[in-house]
Each structure stands twice: as structure tokens, then as C-alpha cells.
Amino acid sequence: QKEVEQNSGPLSVPEGAIASLNCTYSDRVSQSFFWYRQYSGKSPELIMSIYSNGDKEDGRFTAQLNKASQYVSLLIRDSQPSDSATYLCAVKGRNTDKLIFGTGTRLQVFP
Amino acid sequence: DTEVTQTPKHLVMGMTNKKSLKCEQHMGHRAMYWYKQKAKKPPELMFVYSYEKLSINESVPSRFSPECPNSSLLNLHLHALQPEDSALYLCASSQDYQGAGYEQYFGPGTRLTVT
């Protein structure tokens, strides 16, 4: 079992829709969760971090964490073509200080 | 300001060359990282420096040699690389290394091609 799993996609959504990106992790004692956006040929950009169960909102982005289900998600409201990118989920566990990345989900937002 | 800078942006080197990648941050962060990223793969951790000391070496071949001259600078010295070392090399920094809640910020990367 991979430590952090994401659907590779592509996830295709129309402009203006809600894009839902999902991530599961295997280390039950993981503490910190991050979402990075990476445009093709560019470096990862941190867009959200979440540490407690529940929702965290920042503009059009909402991160959701459910530690009991070992599940973290990212919702993008009013999706724009400029949101088209690969979204990387990263998890930091209590027993390791390293960031463990998922393989990323490619999001395509079409006009 | 969450800016990490890296130079050069692109580097082409032969297998017998010696070159260095440079990274700088002025956020007062005390942890700095080198990652390697191949196409369509997530970043792969190479080295971690915490308070200017090497904390993690992920069994990286000795042809890659990191250096942390001070808390703001991180170098990666390259020697006798192989074509399979061609990749995007990313530097990142965070406020600290151990413990929860320390967000890592990436620089723009150096695109390395080994011929």
C-alpha cells in the first residue's frame, strides 16, 4: 500500500464547477497535511495546509480533513481554466519529519 | 514574503563537468531541503539541513554533495553526473524541520540536463 494515494486523473471539470480532489494516507498518526499546485514545467506552490479535523477555507479553496477515515480533500469552487494543473497531496507523520507526497492528480478545467 | 530563489534556471553539463546549484531564502527559515523531480513524478527528497547541519541524506550518490554555508544559503555541488540525473532540482525551506505545522516553500527549480 502506498503511503499517500491520489487518483492520477485527469479530472476534467467545466469552468465554474466545483473540482473535488481526494487523497488517502496510510500512517494513522500523520499530523500535517498540505496541498500543492504544480503547473507543467514549474515548481510546486503551497496552496493549503490543514492540521485539524474539519474544513479550512481560503478563498475558492477548501481543504477537508477526516483523520478517522485517513482522508484529506481539496475543493476548488468556481473552477477556472487557470486552475488546470497537477495537485499534489503531501502528508507529514508523527513518526517521520519528512513530507510524503502523493503522485498528484491532474486537473483540467475546460471553458 | 515566501520567496526561495534558485540559480541557475537551466543547466546543461557533461558527465565530466563540475557545477553547483544555488538556493537562497530570506524568510529566517532554519530548515532547507533539496528535492529531485522527474517528469510526471512527485518531488523526491535528497537532503535536509536543519540549523545549518545535515539532518537527512536519503542515500543519495556521492556525486551529489550538499553544502549549507549559512542559514540563508544552500548549495548542491554536482560532479560526474549521469544522464539519468537529468531532472528538475528543487530547493525548499521551512521555519523548522521537526514537528508539525512547518510548511515547506519551494523555489522555482533548476532544470538540469546531463549530456
Side-chain angles (χ1 to χ4, degrees):
Chain A
Q1 182 188 8
K2 291 182 183 176
E3 294 181 82
V4 179
E5 292 205 53
Q6 296 180 256
N7 188 319
S8 62
L11 173 66
S12 292
V13 300
E15 185 174 356
I18 295 175
S20 178
L21 303 156
N22 304 315
C23 172
T24 58
Y25 58 94
S26 60
D27 184 355
R28 183 169 292 278
V29 296
S30 296
Q31 292 184 301
S32 311
F33 306 86
F34 307 91
W35 283 99
Y36 287 86
R37 176 176 64 196
Q38 187 170 25
Y39 293 112
S40 180
K42 302 295 185 183
S43 65
E45 175 191 7
L46 180 66
I47 53 173
M48 289 290 284
S49 57
I50 187 166
Y51 310 108
S52 304
N53 278 330
D55 294 1
K56 179 182 177 182
E57 186 174 321
D58 184 0
R60 295 186 297 113
F61 299 101
T62 299
Q64 299 175 316
L65 176 60
N66 184 327
K67 289 187 178 180
S69 300
Q70 295 173 240
Y71 176 91
V72 59
S73 65
L74 179 70
L75 301 178
I76 306 175
R77 289 182 299 281
D78 188 24
S79 295
Q80 301 297 309
S82 59
D83 294 324
S84 298
T86 296
Y87 289 80
L88 295 162
C89 172
V91 175
K92 193 174 189 187
R94 185 176 302 169
N95 297 324
T96 172
D97 291 302
K98 298 191 300 185
L99 268 188
I100 308 298
F101 284 90
T103 52
T105 297
R106 189 157 63 94
L107 173 66
Q108 294 178 333
V109 181
F110 56 91
Chain B
D1 184 13
T2 54
E3 187 174 278
V4 178
T5 59
Q6 289 186 246
T7 55
K9 290 184 180 178
H10 301 275
L11 179 62
V12 179
M13 60 185 290
M15 289 188 285
T16 58
N17 292 159
K18 286 185 181 181
K19 296 287 185 183
S20 296
L21 309 184
K22 298 186 182 301
C23 174
E24 189 168 7
Q25 58 88 14
H26 292 290
M27 296 177 279
H29 287 176
R30 303 315 300 263
M32 297 185 76
Y33 310 77
W34 280 116
Y35 287 87
K36 171 183 176 180
Q37 188 176 27
K38 303 282 269 185
K40 301 191 187 301
K41 299 288 187 183
E44 181 184 337
L45 183 66
M46 300 174 71
F47 303 103
V48 180
Y49 273 83
S50 179
Y51 290 83
E52 301 166 46
K53 292 194 171 130
L54 184 64
S55 296
I56 288 184
N57 176 340
E58 289 288 284
S59 302
V60 178
S62 60
R63 57 185 185 268
F64 295 92
S65 175
E67 178 195 18
C68 189
N70 60 53
S71 60
S72 300
L73 291 173
L74 187 65
N75 298 323
L76 186 63
H77 303 298
L78 313 173
H79 172 56
L81 294 192
Q82 304 298 309
E84 59 264 29
D85 296 321
S86 298
L88 181 66
Y89 286 83
L90 296 161
C91 175
S93 72
S94 64
Q95 185 178 343
D96 207 326
Y97 173 56
Q98 293 183 315
Y102 295 122
E103 300 166 336
Q104 289 187 24
Y105 297 93
F106 285 86
T110 293
R111 177 74 59 188
L112 174 67
T113 302
V114 181
T115 61

